[in-house]
Amino acid sequence: MRNKHSQRKHVSVQEWLALAEHSAASSLLQAAKICDQAKALVLKGDYYSALDAVLPIATHESSPLSRRAKKIAVMALDEITDEHYEKGDYQSAIRCLDQWIALEPEALYPLVRKAEILWLEMDKPGEASQIYRTVTDSHPHCVEAWLGLAHIALFQGQIDSAIAHLKRAWRVLKHPEWAYPPTREIVTNVIESMYVLTGRLLAKLGDLLGALQFLKAGMDNVSGSGYIQEEIEIIERLLTEKSPDSE
């Protein structure tokens, strides 16, 4: 019987060296080092340097560390977006969100955040609506997107559209898909907005008593809501003004 060791195919050192070189181990180590450094910069609050360092890896899809680099880049972009927003530099905030969307096209948060800034801060309801519709097409249970569409439609006097969008928002609330992390604060804000917008819709339709009833039901569900209470007071003033006794 031949020695089984003699049957093994010999692999030369040159072959092993070629395999090691082809694996791009040195490039991988360098990318890992850059990601570690960028993560440390994020933790120190140096978001711009972190983003500059990690972005080439994040946008290099063939890089084995692209996914990790994207996560770090997104962390930096999130903070930079907030900085611009707090300064009132909404255009720069939009540019950051566009970078985020390019890195994560399926992510809901940067899309919804961009739409909110366009609508609430930059008075561009058309552009905001387009983004919200894109979101609802791909994520039909995104409650924030339906709520945004309802808000814009109601503001523009498109009552039928507002009714349709608000109905969808209430229906998907049972099994929602969230753009924002669904903390208690976020969920409370969304539900408050839904009650207030529905109350405003009923008032627009001429049903002030119905609006008041609905808003009071909202107070029962979201106790202590200053937002809903303010809307109740507005409706009560309108009812007082319509009352014959007030003439």
Side-chain angles (χ1 to χ4, degrees):
M1 180 181 293
R2 293 178 61 189
N3 188 323
K4 63 181 179 179
H5 292 289
S6 66
Q7 299 176 20
R8 291 176 179 164
K9 182 179 178 180
H10 177 66
V11 181
S12 68
V13 172
Q14 284 72 25
E15 286 186 73
W16 287 116
L17 287 170
L19 280 170
E21 184 177 355
H22 185 68
S23 71
S26 59
S27 298
L28 184 60
L29 286 167
Q30 181 64 16
K33 179 181 177 182
I34 291 171
C35 285
D36 286 349
Q37 291 171 339
K39 180 68 176 292
L41 287 168
V42 168
L43 295 175
K44 289 179 182 177
D46 191 352
Y47 308 120
Y48 292 91
S49 296
L51 184 62
D52 288 342
V54 82
L55 205 53
I57 302 171
T59 55
H60 199 295
E61 292 295 338
S62 62
S63 171
L65 292 185
S66 174
R67 183 177 296 181
R68 185 188 177 208
K70 284 181 181 180
K71 289 181 179 179
I72 297 168
V74 161
M75 290 170 62
L77 284 168
D78 191 16
E79 298 292 344
I80 296 170
T81 299
D82 285 344
E83 285 185 4
H84 288 310
Y85 182 84
E86 292 301 323
K87 293 176 183 176
D89 186 358
Y90 304 124
Q91 196 59 57
S92 293
I94 291 292
R95 282 196 291 270
C96 287
L97 291 168
D98 284 338
Q99 280 188 284
W100 187 340
I101 293 164
L103 290 172
E104 294 184 330
E106 296 301 315
L108 284 175
Y109 175 80
L111 286 166
V112 170
R113 182 90 189 273
K114 180 180 178 180
E116 287 177 349
I117 293 174
L118 286 167
W119 160 228
L120 298 173
E121 308 297 348
M122 300 177 73
D123 193 25
K124 295 183 177 181
E127 291 182 39
S129 292
Q130 187 175 357
I131 295 172
Y132 283 136
R133 289 192 190 97
T134 298
V135 171
T136 56
D137 286 344
S138 56
H139 300 273
H141 285 263
C142 180
V143 64
E144 294 106 322
W146 287 115
L147 193 56
L149 285 171
H151 195 181
I152 292 171
L154 187 60
F155 177 79
Q156 294 181 329
Q158 299 169 356
I159 302 301
D160 289 343
S161 293
I163 290 171
H165 297 325
L166 264 176
K167 283 184 175 181
R168 286 297 296 269
W170 282 109
R171 285 168 182 158
V172 303
L173 194 61
K174 191 172 183 180
H175 300 289
E177 188 172 5
W178 297 94
Y180 284 79
T183 62
R184 180 175 177 80
E185 180 182 3
I186 293 296
V187 173
T188 299
N189 288 343
V190 166
I191 293 174
E192 283 178 326
S193 296
M194 290 173 69
Y195 272 104
V196 167
L197 285 180
T198 306
R200 288 177 185 173
L201 176 62
L202 289 167
K204 282 268 189 183
L205 293 169
D207 188 0
L208 291 176
L209 287 174
L212 184 61
Q213 180 183 356
F214 192 83
L215 289 165
K216 286 184 175 180
M219 284 297 289
D220 291 339
N221 284 325
V222 190
S223 58
S225 170
Y227 188 25
I228 297 176
Q229 182 58 43
E230 286 177 10
E231 204 68 21
I232 287 174
E233 291 170 4
I234 291 170
I235 298 298
E236 287 177 337
R237 283 198 298 272
L238 291 172
L239 283 167
T240 300
E241 291 168 5
K242 283 191 67 175
S243 171
D245 295 337
S246 63
E247 296 179 359

